[in-house]
Amino acid sequence: MKHITLISAERALRRTVQGLLKGHADVVAFHSIQSALDHIYSDMSQLLILDIKADDSHTVAILNTLKNDPLFNQLPVLAILPEDFACRQWESLLIEDYLRVSQMERELVARVALCLIRAERTVEMNPLTRLPGNISITKQIQARLDEKAAFALAYADIDHFKPFNDKYGFGHGDEVIKITGRLILNSVQNRQPHDSFVGHIGGDDFVFIMDTSMVEDASQDIVGAFDTLIPTFYDSDDRERGYIQSKDRQGDMQLFDIMTLSIGITTSRATTFSHYGEITERASEMKRYAKQFKGSCFRSDKRKDG
């Protein structure tokens, strides 16, 4: 079932939209865009339906701010516009499609379906976590380097994930990856709601981009939340022992600790980076260094040029 966020100040319109989309999507409704922001930041809906009134500059301003956030610029927006709404500069209203109120009864279901299909065709994201994938990650990093921006890049990797996946099965493994992506997203957004970025490289590897002053606090939040949640994925006997028995990459039975999370951090000021591959390799190097320590942890690159 698709997840849609609906925003309208009119109760009757909210009920109409929810009624028309019943059975097609799971619709969560809010009376204003301001009241919906927490849900949008945490839920990662697949479509935003927004009722925009004429001269509603406040809603448009918040929408445009949201769409200018790298994490949400791929969120498709379907606007419901009144008959008298006249937009002379569409580039100033960051939406993907619209329909008039008078068209809702006959057009809404089809427009929603087309918006979702179009988004799936054009938006590059990981299908499991719904986080931006490698193409978006590369673009984000390179754009910030080209702008000479100061930022921190963190690379997160789950330790002992494969043995867990082998013993408990792919379904449980997918749930671990999804919850890890969600807690990284929530922690980053709580610390830096704007101009941050979270991406899913694939498997159990994630990256996030933040201001340098916030990245270590966010990393501490992430490893703390991870260590709280992960034991619940094990059965009681394994949890009490603190380890499981599973096969290593050579097929031999070994003992493996409960999963932990290792995060490597570097910054655009650590050296003179010009290509995204250079800074991602440095973050990956710091992640490998973090893996040398027992338990969930993060390690920051303190080196400078030379």
Side-chain angles (χ1 to χ4, degrees):
M1 186 74 75
K2 302 296 185 181
H3 295 279
I4 295 175
T5 299
L6 165 66
I7 301 170
S8 175
E10 296 185 15
R11 180 179 296 180
L13 189 146
R14 295 198 300 268
R15 288 178 174 174
T16 298
V17 172
Q18 288 177 309
L20 290 170
L21 295 179
K22 186 176 182 180
H24 297 279
D26 176 26
V27 181
V28 180
F30 296 88
H31 71 277
S32 71
I33 192 168
Q34 190 71 51
S35 67
L37 286 178
D38 285 344
H39 175 79
I40 293 171
Y41 281 129
S42 63
D43 184 69
M44 292 297 286
S45 294
Q46 291 154 291
L47 175 65
L48 173 61
I49 300 177
L50 180 60
D51 178 20
I52 303 177
K53 305 303 181 187
D55 301 319
D56 189 357
S57 58
H58 178 67
T59 294
V60 172
I62 295 177
L63 170 66
N64 289 349
T65 298
L66 180 73
K67 291 283 284 180
N68 279 314
D69 187 319
L71 191 59
F72 294 97
N73 59 12
Q74 300 181 90
L75 173 65
V77 178
L78 172 63
I80 299 175
L81 303 178
E83 307 304 317
D84 60 347
F85 189 99
C87 185
R88 296 177 177 83
Q89 292 182 310
W90 286 105
E91 64 271 16
S92 65
L93 179 60
L94 302 184
I95 62 174
E96 279 63 47
D97 201 355
Y98 76 93
L99 74 163
R100 304 290 180 177
V101 173
S102 60
Q103 299 173 303
M104 280 207 312
E105 293 284 347
R106 64 178 184 275
E107 294 285 342
L108 180 67
V109 173
R111 292 291 181 90
V112 166
L114 286 171
C115 278
L116 292 168
I117 292 170
R118 188 186 305 125
E120 290 175 356
R121 287 173 179 166
T122 60
V123 174
E124 185 266 336
M125 63 173 58
N126 186 282
L128 181 61
T129 59
R130 306 294 297 174
L131 291 172
N134 286 311
I135 295 173
S136 298
I137 292 168
T138 298
K139 288 180 178 178
Q140 280 292 322
I141 296 171
Q142 191 62 53
R144 293 170 193 247
L145 290 175
D146 292 343
E147 293 168 2
K148 310 297 183 185
F151 66 94
L153 173 67
Y155 192 137
D157 181 24
I158 302 175
D159 308 310
H160 314 304
F161 174 75
K162 185 180 183 303
F164 172 89
N165 202 44
D166 289 343
K167 177 173 181 179
Y168 283 89
F170 292 111
H172 285 84
D174 285 350
E175 288 303 313
V176 168
I177 290 173
K178 285 194 288 186
I179 199 68
T180 302
R182 179 56 59 86
L183 70 86
I184 291 174
L185 175 65
N186 289 347
S187 297
V188 169
Q189 285 289 310
N190 285 340
R191 290 286 180 177
Q192 186 182 338
H194 305 293
D195 205 34
S196 57
F197 176 83
V198 179
H200 186 181
I201 296 172
D204 56 327
D205 293 343
F206 299 85
V207 298
F208 53 98
I209 301 172
M210 301 185 69
D211 288 350
T212 56
S213 62
M214 301 180 184
V215 68
E216 291 195 357
D217 287 338
S219 296
Q220 187 61 61
D221 295 342
I222 291 166
V223 298
F226 186 90
D227 285 347
T228 298
L229 287 170
I230 286 303
T232 65
F233 285 88
Y234 292 80
D235 62 36
S236 58
D237 290 340
D238 287 342
R239 189 164 56 245
E240 290 174 9
R241 281 193 297 265
Y243 63 85
I244 63 172
Q245 188 175 34
S246 186
K247 292 183 179 180
D248 62 16
R249 296 185 183 278
Q250 288 71 45
D252 300 322
M253 294 301 294
Q254 301 286 346
L255 301 181
F256 295 92
D257 292 337
I258 299 294
M259 287 179 289
T260 54
L261 191 70
S262 295
I263 302 175
I265 303 168
T266 192
T267 75
S268 59
R269 298 300 186 232
T271 188
T272 306
F273 297 115
S274 60
H275 188 270
Y276 72 89
E278 298 168 341
I279 190 170
T280 53
E281 175 54 34
R282 180 68 71 90
S284 179
E285 180 185 339
M286 292 308 302
K287 182 260 296 181
R288 291 192 293 270
Y289 176 59
K291 281 182 170 289
Q292 298 176 21
F293 297 83
K294 188 174 178 63
S296 295
C297 69
F298 63 90
R299 291 292 182 268
S300 297
D301 189 5
K302 304 300 184 183
R303 293 168 293 178
K304 302 297 181 182
D305 282 313

